[in-house]
């Protein structure tokens, strides 16, 4: 959950970046490239989603 406006804006910028990457492929009309881009983005999101959170003061 976002804790402040700056963090929330960061999430929104990340989402906007993802949409822009897909949009570039759509404009070119290459649906196979769109599918590939979506697969790449899913892998990137999953890496971030399942990584260990940073420890606070060495405890967790």
């Amino acid at each position: 959950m976002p804790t402040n406006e700056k963090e929330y804006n960061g999430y929104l910028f990340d989402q906007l970046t993802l949409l822009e990457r897909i949009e570039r492929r759509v404009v070119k009309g290459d649906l196979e490239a769109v599918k590939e881009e979506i697969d790449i983005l899913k892998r990137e999101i999953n890496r971030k989603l399942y990584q260990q959170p940073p420890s606070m003061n060495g405890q967790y």
Side-chain angles (χ1 to χ4, degrees):
M1 297 287 284
T3 58
N4 59 42
E5 186 176 349
K6 184 177 180 180
E7 186 176 357
Y8 183 69
N9 283 343
Y11 291 132
L12 293 177
F13 279 120
D14 286 344
Q15 291 174 354
L16 183 58
T17 299
L18 297 176
L19 291 171
E20 289 170 345
R21 286 174 62 177
I22 293 171
E23 185 178 43
R24 282 194 299 268
R25 302 297 185 169
V26 170
V27 169
K28 293 179 181 179
D30 188 352
L31 295 181
E32 194 58 40
V34 171
K35 291 178 185 178
E36 185 178 323
E37 191 71 33
I38 289 171
D39 287 340
I40 292 167
L41 293 169
K42 282 181 182 178
R43 286 194 302 271
E44 290 173 358
I45 291 167
N46 280 324
R47 268 198 311 272
K48 291 177 184 178
L49 184 62
Y50 296 114
Q51 70 183 359
Q52 292 291 330
S55 63
M56 300 178 83
N57 299 326
Q59 299 175 350
Y60 253 84

